[in-house]
Amino acid sequence: MSGARRFRLQSWGARFGLAVACLWVFTALFAPWLSPHPPDAIDLTRELARPGPGHLLGTGENGIDVLTHVLHGARVSLEVSFFAVLLSGVLGITLGGIAGYAGGLVDEGLMRLVDVLLAFPGILLALFITSVLGPSLTNVVFALSFTGWTGYARLTRGQVLTLRERDYVQAARALGSGPGRILVRHLLPNAAGPLLVQATFALPGAIVAEASLSFLGLGVPPGTPSWGALVDQGTQYLLVAPHVALFPGIALAVTVLGFNLLGDALRDAMDPRHQGP
Amino acid sequence: MDVPPDIRSVTEAMPPLPFRAAVRVVSATLALLLYAGCREKAPPAGITVLLEAPPDSLDDRFALTAHGQRLAQLISPGLLTFDDASSPVPQLAESFRDVSATVVEFVLRPGLTFHDGTALTAEDVKATYDSLRDPALGSPKRERYEPLERVEVVDARTVRFHLKRPYAPLLAELSAAILPAERAGPQGIEAQATHPVGAGPFRFESWPDEEHLTLTPFAGWHGGTPALSRLTFRVVRDETTRVLELLKGRADLVVNGVSPAVLPALREAPHLRVVTKPGTGFTYVGINLREGPLADVRVRQALCHLIDVGPLVEHKLHGLAEPASSMLPRAHWAFTATPACGYSPEEAGRLLDAAGYPDPDGPGGQPRLAFTFKTSTDRFRRAVALVLKEQLARGGVAIEVRGLEFGTFFDDVRRGRFELFTLKWAAVMEPDLLRGAFHSGNIPGPENHWGGFNRGALKDPALDRMLDAATQAPREERRALYAQAQQELDAVLPVIPLWHESSVAVVSSRLVDFEPSAHGLLTPLARAREVTPSSGAGRTP
């Protein structure tokens, strides 16, 4: 039975994770049509109103609609996490592949660079970058990708080192294939499984990192809907309006849990040690 | 009776009696510890005041933060203090008078003593001000005393300040803490920093770490012994925690440390009351006048007409502020009512048309103008900036709000890297602050280490002359000059005044007769009384 089939049929975590991921993507894509109010609409007279008709999840600071911001927050988290993972992935896989295949000084140099970057706490570096460059979606993606690629680079290098002496690679080399072709056509496709698992785990990491930066006021620009920014807003009013922090907090927790379960299921499905006879 | 084999085996397997007893004792102890841990801790004796940040120093000569200065005033007050109208009133001094344009004479109250029992005399006053001007001491406030030529001791209770030139604002600087002469010099810095001595209503007891400070009432205070058994200051940085501490009865006072939106929850608590007083803090929108559309006064006036302060004060500040027309609050002795711009989108449109910024495609389309608006990451300031964005957008002015980490934000403001920003002056007491904020000699630059307060770079020679003249004039003349200055500022509009925030104190029922100061000072604690729950009466010291 193939790993993919086991993943589909047997894992409840995968089913839950997939459902959350699909709901998240759907919400993010259709947020403007699902939202009852424009995201920049404010109404000072309705500030911190409790959930009720007109504002199903209540209102927050300046009278913003919490439901609208939760829905649009999904859009922001999708944009940031997708592009951060994509950028990290492309950079990490390229550099890791080169390091693993070329070996020698190139490998040494790239891996020491990875070591240096990993020595810094990622979120601290991201905080530094966004505080210098200022809050914006692009800067958050850049800040998260700045250290995010290192995980992909290490993983790709390890996979390439394992695979590059395989018979089919030797055969491709004997037939005259160049390093680039071998990497792209033979090595990376066979390393895709672990990389996909890595990406699945990186996605919730990026979502939480974006929320953390926004919570500290260094993520998205003020006024941009974001789960982290909404939780930040709500913490000040926990006693008088707990709903402001509660609903984005639930959205954040469920999404991260869903992706982690999905990642777990994917890893189990891809890992031969977890496969039956 | 035979014991069933399974039970017997269990009984035999049980440890001997002493061990079981020990297990019981340990269990009981753990349960007790758990109970003690879960039980509400009793609040410390006396009155507990919560602060948002620790004081930087208890030596007034070095204290630069508001908390440092306010706590230092409780321990070591000065010759003068300021009433709610920002007028100087005697504190340790009994009276003061102008002997000439360059000589001010102070007479000390009779019988003043320091906390260590020694008498406070004119020699101590002279030693204190000499130390403030001494480069060897290194006080960051030394520059403020540049106009002071010398301090003369006339007799034990009389001291004269001789100035190099007439300089009325110096009076504001004569509220500096008076220290014992032997502690005033550089050799006394360490002693004063660790165990401060003064002649204030409260004497220092302990400061074990930066989070806790304890003071006790001083029986020799000229205003009578404060009716509080002890004062404990505790630093609680998180606002929600401060609110919870008040609600749980573990704190008795927070001054200006709770957001207006949270106050309704505190008003509902039967053991708490919220006391307010019109304040002197000034919130404004700063404008860069150096170049671009904002250099045109018509554009600045248009922005002012588009901002509707009323709803902000009513809903964001819950009425705990007064719309501002000037940097000086309404109760200030030098305040003069000016017409102010007022909310008028039609007038704004007319001004923008006249300035050459017509609406390109009618309401709601392309903006007439676009600016960046910088603010710190402070939640309240960001929220206000978003409301202003919405209000300005209605008039065709688009702004992009940038929330920056405070250090970056403030550096940008000091170096003129902004178009619009919002900031707040914590307390406006001495009207000479107008000269600091709007005189062309105070534009930040390398020559003043970017420390000038005229951050928008206003250059108005007529205003400069008025503000310079006001520093050398007698009080009534100063009032007239500041009136002219406020009218000029209203016309050229280098900043858009927003509001003066009220001073708000949340007080527990254990503390009575506490009335907040307009400036957010802690000195009203000297007149407050502590009530014990059992007696319900004021404590007699």
Side-chain angles (χ1 to χ4, degrees), chain B residues 79-147:
Chain B
L79 296 171
L80 298 171
T81 185
F82 293 87
D83 64 13
D84 289 340
S86 299
S87 295
V89 289
Q91 178 71 284
L92 294 179
E94 185 178 58
S95 63
F96 60 95
R97 67 183 179 100
D98 290 334
V99 176
S100 71
T102 55
V103 180
V104 192
E105 183 180 274
F106 285 80
V107 178
L108 298 174
R109 292 176 190 273
L112 288 176
T113 58
F114 287 110
H115 298 154
D116 58 6
T118 57
L120 189 158
T121 67
E123 289 292 350
D124 297 305
V125 178
K126 176 177 165 51
T128 299
Y129 283 96
D130 284 348
S131 77
L132 273 164
R133 296 185 298 135
D134 182 2
L137 186 85
S139 167
K141 300 176 180 177
R142 190 166 72 92
E143 288 295 315
R144 301 180 189 178
Y145 299 94
E146 183 279 325

Side-chain angles (χ1 to χ4, degrees), chain A residues 40 42 44-48 61-62 130-135 214-218 220-224 229 231-240, chain B residues 239-240 243-244 247 259 261-265 311-312 315-316 318 375 377 379-380 382-384 386-391 400-405 408:
Chain A
D40 55 353
I42 64 174
L44 287 180
T45 61
R46 301 272 301 154
E47 190 173 54
L48 304 179
E61 208 164 46
N62 292 347
T130 50
S131 64
V132 170
L133 299 179
S214 297
F215 180 83
L216 296 169
L218 296 170
V220 296
T224 308
V231 171
D232 169 41
Q233 204 184 95
T235 49
Q236 194 181 359
Y237 307 113
L238 275 179
L239 290 171
V240 288
Chain B
E239 183 184 343
T240 306
V243 170
L244 287 172
L247 288 171
S259 304
V262 185
L263 290 175
L312 277 161
H315 300 291
K316 291 297 301 173
H318 292 248
T375 182
T377 51
R379 292 178 189 131
F380 181 75
R382 268 186 299 165
V384 167
L386 291 173
V387 177
L388 296 180
K389 174 184 178 175
E390 197 258 352
Q391 292 185 344
E400 180 202 345
V401 177
R402 288 195 194 159
L404 304 170
E405 178 271 324
T408 311

Side-chain angles (χ1 to χ4, degrees), chain B residues 115-448:
Chain B
H115 298 154
D116 58 6
T118 57
L120 189 158
T121 67
E123 289 292 350
D124 297 305
V125 178
K126 176 177 165 51
T128 299
Y129 283 96
D130 284 348
S131 77
L132 273 164
R133 296 185 298 135
D134 182 2
L137 186 85
S139 167
K141 300 176 180 177
R142 190 166 72 92
E143 288 295 315
R144 301 180 189 178
Y145 299 94
E146 183 279 325
L148 185 59
E149 187 181 41
R150 66 191 169 90
V151 183
E152 178 197 2
V153 175
V154 178
D155 59 43
R157 283 182 53 209
T158 311
V159 64
R160 282 183 177 176
F161 291 84
H162 293 264
L163 311 184
K164 293 174 186 166
R165 57 186 181 278
Y167 187 68
L170 186 75
L171 217 51
E173 305 303 338
L174 299 184
S175 59
I178 303 300
L179 308 181
E182 65 273 14
R183 283 189 170 218
Q187 75 286 352
I189 292 178
E190 180 64 24
Q192 194 60 19
T194 54
H195 200 287
V197 170
F202 294 93
R203 69 161 79 209
F204 176 87
E205 184 178 276
S206 67
W207 194 16
D209 53 61
E210 70 166 17
E211 311 284 311
H212 300 85
L213 169 70
T214 309
L215 308 179
T216 52
F218 175 46
W221 171 238
H222 68 78
T225 314
L228 309 176
S229 60
R230 181 180 296 247
L231 256 182
T232 303
F233 293 91
R234 202 146 54 82
V235 177
V236 178
R237 290 178 170 83
D238 178 59
E239 183 184 343
T240 306
T241 312
R242 285 197 296 276
V243 170
L244 287 172
E245 291 287 89
L246 284 164
L247 288 171
K248 284 159 64 185
R250 287 177 38 79
D252 301 296
L253 178 67
V254 173
V255 179
N256 294 338
V258 178
S259 304
V262 185
L263 290 175
L266 296 173
R267 282 199 171 101
E268 285 173 13
H271 68 287
L272 294 175
R273 63 195 167 93
V274 177
V275 200
T276 65
K277 177 171 271 191
T280 55
F282 172 62
T283 302
Y284 63 97
V285 175
I287 304 172
N288 197 335
L289 282 64
R290 291 173 177 85
E291 57 187 7
L294 292 169
D296 187 335
V297 67
R298 292 169 297 186
V299 174
R300 302 198 294 272
Q301 286 169 336
L303 297 191
C304 189
H305 282 305
L306 288 173
I307 292 175
D308 191 3
V309 178
L312 277 161
V313 167
E314 186 182 348
H315 300 291
K316 291 297 301 173
L317 290 142
H318 292 248
L320 295 172
E322 188 178 348
S325 61
S326 153
M327 192 176 200
L328 305 178
R330 188 169 295 277
H332 196 284
W333 65 266
F335 173 79
T336 293
T338 50
C341 52
Y343 179 60
S344 174
E346 301 77 21
E347 181 64 11
R350 197 190 61 74
L351 284 164
L352 288 175
D353 287 342
Y357 302 103
D359 196 342
D361 52 4
Q366 291 294 309
R368 294 167 181 259
L369 284 164
F371 300 110
T372 54
F373 188 107
K374 291 189 174 178
T375 182
S376 70
T377 51
D378 176 82
R379 292 178 189 131
F380 181 75
R381 303 286 158 211
R382 268 186 299 165
V384 167
L386 291 173
V387 177
L388 296 180
K389 174 184 178 175
E390 197 258 352
Q391 292 185 344
L392 291 170
R394 276 189 251 149
V397 178
I399 62 169
E400 180 202 345
V401 177
R402 288 195 194 159
L404 304 170
E405 178 271 324
F406 190 81
T408 311
F409 164 65
F410 198 58
D411 196 49
D412 282 359
V413 169
R414 288 171 64 212
R415 290 173 185 267
R417 294 192 293 250
F418 63 85
E419 287 183 308
L420 299 166
F421 70 90
T422 182
L423 259 178
K424 175 190 170 183
W425 285 97
V428 180
M429 293 155 105
E430 167 53 48
D432 190 46
L433 199 56
L434 291 172
R435 192 167 59 95
F438 302 117
H439 193 287
S440 59
N442 290 322
I443 296 172
E447 67 284 357
N448 55 24

